[in-house]
Amino acid sequence: AVAAIALIHPGVSFTLRNEGSGGKYLQTHKTSSLVSSFGSLFGTRKSMSLREASHQHKQFNISGFIGREGHRNKDLQFLYINNRLILRTKVHKFLNMLLSKSTVVNRRAGQWEPRTPTVKDNSAADASSPGKLRDYYGMFVLNISCPLSEYDISL
C-alpha cells in the first residue's frame, strides 16, 4: 500500500523502515512524474509500456496511464478517487473486463496475440509447473477526480 501511495504522489519521497532492525523495506525518491515513479518501483521496462489516458464526462475526470503490455497478475493495477487509493471495487472489475477484450493485455515476446481466456506461460515464475495456463491482466494507474458528494470511499 505504501508503494501505491508513493505512486500517486511522485513529488514526495517515502521510506518504510523496520524500527527494530533499521532495515528499509521500501524507499522511493522524489520524481518529476508518475511514470518515473512507476519505473523506479516496478522497473523501467514496465513504465515504458505506459500510455497516457484521459476522459471527462460531466463532473468526472479520469486521468492516468494504461500499460500496452499485460502483467501476470493484478499487482500493477492502481485506481484512485481524488488521489485516494481504492482497492478491489466494481470499477476494477469493469476495467479488467474492458481490458480483457483488447489485445493490449496480451503483448508477449514483442508480438501481439489474439486475446484468449488464457495464455500459455513457461516463464521462470512457472518453472515448477511447466505449461501452466495463466491469464494476463492490464496494468493501469488511473485517478478519477470528482466532487466529494459523488462517491462513498468506504464502499
Side-chain angles (χ1 to χ4, degrees), residues 6 24 48 77 95 109 119 131:
K24 292 180 187 175
M48 288 174 55
Q77 296 184 344
L95 285 169
V119 174

Side-chain angles (χ1 to χ4, degrees), residues 49 66-71 98-108 112-113 115 136-139:
S49 82
I66 297 175
R68 294 190 63 204
E69 294 184 3
H71 188 65
L98 288 176
L99 290 173
S100 74
K101 292 181 178 185
S102 77
T103 57
V104 171
V105 297
N106 265 342
R107 187 165 183 205
R108 309 263 302 150
W112 292 98
E113 295 182 7
R115 177 67 178 145
Y136 272 71
Y137 302 94
M139 295 186 301

